[in-house]
Amino acid sequence: AVRQNLKSILKFGAVTSVVVGATAGLILNFGAGAFTSDAVVRTLAQAASPSVFVAVATCIFAIAVDGAMLASRDFGFMLAVAMSSLVVQMYLLKNWVTNLSGIYYTFALRIGAYTLLSLLRIFSGRGVLGQFYRKEKTKAA
């Protein structure tokens, strides 16, 4: 049941993240003129649309993974990864970002790192959810 539920959550999160991210990116790219007549602002919005797609898609998928992590009550891991990735993002914002897209990319990097590390924790059999996942995997074999 754990493996099947996790698979369903991840599938739904992946599809939803692509659809919502693409919608956000496309609206920003093609719809900026509906919100401003300033050519510079429209150009900046269009230039930021790929990074907005990445950030929104990453965030939506992360919500699915975060929900599973919250349900497993793996708060120590979640807090440690969230704080560590926040420190990295703050460093990058101060020392690397030179434009609007960079802000969105650092956000996607922070959220993506949390998501990737959470999935690695689950699939490696660590943490509460990972232990259930591993037990079910061993029963199936």
Side-chain angles (χ1 to χ4, degrees):
V2 172
R3 288 174 59 100
Q4 194 58 37
N5 286 341
L6 186 60
K7 184 178 176 182
S8 295
I9 288 169
L10 295 179
K11 276 185 184 179
F12 181 73
V15 170
T16 305
S17 69
V18 170
V19 170
V20 174
T23 302
L26 290 171
I27 288 173
L28 194 56
N29 192 47
F30 297 110
F35 300 101
T36 183
S37 59
D38 188 330
V40 174
V41 173
R42 282 196 315 262
T43 302
L44 288 171
Q46 290 170 337
S49 65
S51 60
V52 169
F53 162 73
V54 170
V56 171
T58 303
C59 191
I60 297 295
F61 186 70
I63 289 169
V65 175
D66 190 51
M69 293 298 288
L70 282 170
S72 72
R73 304 180 130 193
D74 202 349
F75 301 126
F77 171 80
M78 294 168 66
L79 184 60
V81 172
M83 294 307 294
S84 300
S85 61
L86 178 63
V87 169
V88 170
Q89 182 186 18
M90 296 305 290
Y91 174 81
L92 290 173
L93 285 170
K94 183 177 180 188
N95 298 299
W96 178 72
V97 171
T98 59
N99 57 29
L100 183 60
S101 292
I103 295 169
Y104 287 109
Y105 283 131
T106 62
F107 177 71
L109 179 67
R110 178 171 66 89
I111 299 300
Y114 167 78
T115 304
L116 179 63
L117 291 171
S118 294
L119 290 172
L120 287 172
R121 184 169 177 85
I122 294 166
F123 295 136
S124 68
R126 298 177 188 261
V128 175
L129 187 55
Q131 290 171 2
F132 279 111
Y133 181 83
R134 184 176 12 161
K135 280 182 190 175
E136 201 166 283
K137 186 177 178 181
T138 337
K139 283 182 187 177

